[in-house]
Amino acid sequence: MTTTLPKGVASSGYTEVVSVPIGPLRYFHTASLLPGRTDVGTTHVHLCANTERSISLQIADGLGIAAEDVCSRIDAAAALAESWIPAASNSYRVLLVPEGTAGAIRTRSLGRFATGRTLALASHVYGDQPQAFANLVDLVAHESLHALGLATKHPRARDERSAYYAGLCAQLKINGLIKEESLPGAPLASGDRAVRISSQQAYRLRLETYPLLVNGTIRIGTPSGETMLQRCQQIGSELIRLQ
């Protein structure tokens, strides 16, 4: 399991989900790491009160963000992933730190194949709060899809293209738009094979979705938004058929 950031990762950080079968059980180990110039310092825990899933936030002290709004968006992003690969819900521990701050969070869980997963996720909170929400729901939907796929032995459990689409579709459905800066980025020249493969698929999605941008966004209620929603439906339906 990764304990330090692989070389060449994006500024948004690196998340790893490891799943190992142990007899009738499955062991999950997740780690989410953020690069930064300063350490996170002290944090406080907020337990989400009005969500369908078990979600706890670990928030850097002094960070101004509406915790229950974050909770509802995490819950909605998780629900989107579950609509594509139906399975028992994940639990979530989410670390939120200011932009430029390094952070790390890890979890270990053991349970039956389709249950007992706790995901650890870390995300920067920018001064531009809508961008913070975009990154967060994208991260939750992306990694949730991987975890649900591993739990159900889905043939596309490790498919980065499907997971990146889950993130984009979560942005559009939950936040109402996808900004150009929230599209997946360019290939990374990393020495880590997993990072290279993931970034290559990210760039593939950028090429596929970039033509849908109108004035820098894809918005709900516009022709390009409807085209993107249809693509989301198509990918979700395909994953369900393969299960």
Side-chain angles (χ1 to χ4, degrees):
M1 166 60 65
T2 295
T3 57
T4 58
L5 278 166
K7 292 182 179 180
V9 301
S11 60
S12 57
Y14 177 83
T15 299
E16 185 176 62
V17 178
V18 173
S19 175
V20 181
I22 303 176
L25 304 177
R26 182 172 286 272
Y27 170 72
F28 269 83
H29 191 173
T30 63
S32 195
L33 313 174
L34 296 172
R37 300 177 300 275
T38 59
D39 294 330
V40 62
T42 57
T43 62
H44 62 278
V45 174
H46 177 90
L47 300 178
C48 297
N50 301 302
T51 55
E52 294 184 16
R53 293 147 195 86
S54 174
I55 303 170
S56 67
L57 308 180
Q58 186 177 338
I59 306 172
D61 287 351
L63 184 63
I65 193 164
E68 283 302 319
D69 193 1
V70 171
C71 292
S72 65
R73 292 173 194 267
I74 292 172
D75 206 36
L80 181 140
E82 290 167 22
S83 73
W84 286 15
I85 299 183
S89 299
N90 303 308
S91 299
Y92 296 87
R93 289 181 55 208
V94 181
L95 173 66
L96 301 173
V97 302
E99 181 181 8
T101 301
I105 186 169
R106 299 174 180 83
T107 61
R108 296 177 177 86
S109 52
L110 181 68
R112 291 185 295 117
F113 266 68
T115 62
R117 300 171 307 282
T118 302
L119 270 65
L121 302 172
S123 185
H124 283 132
V125 176
Y126 303 93
D128 178 3
Q129 190 158 289
Q131 185 62 36
F133 287 149
N135 289 356
L136 183 61
V137 301
D138 193 295
L139 175 66
V140 171
H142 182 122
E143 300 301 339
S144 294
L145 199 77
H146 283 316
L148 294 164
L150 291 169
T152 59
K153 302 180 183 179
H154 195 283
R156 292 192 182 170
R158 301 186 185 278
D159 179 48
E160 288 294 339
R161 182 173 182 271
S162 298
Y164 276 114
Y165 262 116
L168 287 179
C169 295
Q171 287 188 55
L172 185 59
K173 291 186 175 184
I174 297 165
N175 298 336
L177 79 165
I178 303 168
K179 292 185 177 181
E180 180 178 348
E181 54 265 36
S182 298
L183 293 178
L188 298 172
S190 173
D192 186 285
R193 182 174 181 273
V195 172
R196 290 198 309 274
I197 292 173
S198 179
S199 70
Q200 289 164 3
Q201 290 300 311
Y203 186 57
R204 177 184 174 186
L205 252 73
R206 187 178 189 87
L207 295 177
E208 291 177 4
T209 53
Y210 190 86
L212 296 178
L213 292 169
V214 177
N215 296 324
T217 63
I218 304 169
R219 291 182 178 271
I220 285 282
T222 66
S224 66
E226 289 304 310
T227 298
M228 186 66 187
L229 287 176
Q230 290 171 10
R231 191 175 297 177
C232 294
Q233 179 63 39
Q234 178 183 6
I235 294 169
S237 298
E238 185 175 345
L239 291 176
I240 290 172
R241 286 197 303 271
L242 290 172
Q243 193 158 0

